Amino acid sequence: MDQFLQLIVAGLATGAIYALAAIGFTLVWQTSQTINFAQGEFVMLPAILVLTAAHVGLPMWLAFIVGSAAFILLFGFGFKRFLVEPMQRHGVLPLAIATMALSVLIKEAAKNGFSAEAQHFPSLVPDGSVSFLGAAVSARDIAIFVVAVAAILGLQAFITRTRTGRTMQATAQNPTVARILGVPVERMILLTFLINAALALIASYLISPVYLAKFSNGETIGLAAFIAAIVGGFNQIRGALAGGFLIGLIDNLAAAYVSSAYRAAVPLVVLVVVILVKPEGLLGRKEERTV
């Protein structure tokens, strides 16, 4: 029973990271109708930038500020301005391919420009354990879960309870009508990309102390988050949230009770079943498009 509780807590912590990245998939889809295949690398990169800044002599607190600012500027504003906007006019497929190329570019740049070896990343939460229902669970896992959920709830409150958030929703639902009504559509889309970058930043700082900072992290996180977004519902933030927690739990339980060698296959089986039974995802809504 103790081991089961530990796996549940660890699964929820992992799922919270997947949910943050999956929400990024959803936000980009809602605003540009494309899939950002570099989303996993977006989660990997902030930790690398912070360590790079620290290696050039900056104190760690300043390295966090510099790395965070550089990432938000490059992959919040820059991603939207210099990749999405020029490619979007050519259609969804060229833009998706461009994000694949960006994924490879980021990974290779991190590998060759920083290090091919995994590097220790400082944790903002001291390592240790706390008693939960009689079981010793990781304090770091609890902290990851709490911080990630707080970020997600904060985003949800911003979107549903503020005027700017409702304007973002209107832009995502029908940008043409929103533009006619005087909504600053381009500004709202930019804000969405900045939020996506901020979520990736949080996920990076939460997961890197556990998995270490390494160039290959993006592959694992990106695939898991992509599966989570599809399983939960690609066009709903709540779907990405539910999918993230579900995949995180399945991943950890499969490693313990099925086989660690096949842990990556179990979420794929879940993905296939959901696509066959409910193609729009567990909490997604059906969309009809003219082609």
Side-chain angles (χ1 to χ4, degrees):
M1 186 62 182
D2 289 357
Q3 182 189 20
F4 181 74
L5 285 175
Q6 291 169 354
L7 290 171
I8 292 296
V9 173
L12 290 174
T14 304
I17 300 298
Y18 294 162
L20 287 172
I23 290 172
F25 275 116
T26 300
L27 291 174
V28 173
W29 171 260
Q30 288 179 338
T31 54
S32 62
Q33 296 299 303
T34 194
I35 300 170
N36 176 21
F37 286 103
Q39 188 69 17
E41 278 63 38
F42 278 24
V43 176
M44 171 272 293
L45 189 60
I48 299 293
L49 292 177
V50 169
L51 292 180
T52 301
H55 286 175
V56 300
L58 295 180
M60 187 55 68
W61 66 268
L62 184 56
F64 267 99
I65 295 175
V66 172
S68 300
F71 178 77
I72 294 292
L73 179 63
L74 290 174
F75 296 98
F77 173 78
F79 175 60
K80 192 262 182 186
R81 177 67 179 84
F82 299 110
L83 191 144
V84 174
E85 285 185 7
M87 296 302 299
Q88 199 168 22
R89 65 176 66 99
H90 299 293
V92 173
L93 183 58
L95 179 53
I97 294 174
T99 65
M100 294 179 193
L102 179 62
S103 171
V104 175
L105 176 63
I106 294 174
K107 183 171 67 175
E108 292 302 316
K111 177 182 178 181
N112 298 311
F114 176 68
S115 175
E117 302 295 328
Q119 301 290 319
H120 171 74
F121 189 80
S123 175
L124 301 179
V125 180
D127 199 11
S129 61
V130 297
S131 179
F132 178 71
L133 297 178
V137 298
S138 170
R140 183 178 292 174
D141 286 342
I142 294 176
I144 289 174
F145 175 77
V146 170
V147 172
V149 170
I152 294 168
L153 292 178
L155 172 63
Q156 189 68 19
F158 171 75
I159 290 176
T160 58
R161 298 184 182 181
T162 68
R163 181 176 180 180
T164 302
R166 290 190 291 270
T167 303
M168 287 174 57
Q169 290 186 75
T171 301
Q173 291 171 4
N174 196 320
T176 302
V177 173
R179 189 175 283 108
I180 292 173
L181 295 176
V183 172
V185 171
E186 295 304 321
R187 189 185 306 168
M188 292 300 102
I189 293 175
L190 175 59
L191 179 58
T192 302
F193 278 84
L194 292 175
I195 291 174
N196 175 43
L199 292 177
L201 191 79
I202 295 171
S204 182
Y205 293 163
L206 291 176
I207 200 65
S208 295
V210 180
Y211 290 161
L212 303 180
K214 56 182 181 290
F215 73 95
S216 59
N217 277 351
E219 297 176 3
T220 304
I221 297 172
L223 178 60
F226 185 54
I227 293 173
I230 296 175
V231 168
F234 216 88
N235 52 19
Q236 292 288 322
I237 290 179
R238 61 181 182 177
L241 175 61
F245 285 129
L246 179 62
I247 296 302
L249 286 170
I250 290 174
D251 185 44
N252 276 265
L253 293 175
Y257 296 117
V258 180
S259 170
S260 59
Y262 295 102
R263 67 183 298 178
V266 178
L268 291 173
V269 173
V270 175
L271 172 64
V272 172
V273 172
V274 170
I275 289 176
L276 291 175
V277 176
K278 204 171 186 292
E280 68 273 18
L282 298 177
L283 299 178
R285 65 173 186 270
K286 293 183 178 180
E287 292 186 0
E288 297 181 359
R289 298 183 184 279
T290 302
V291 297

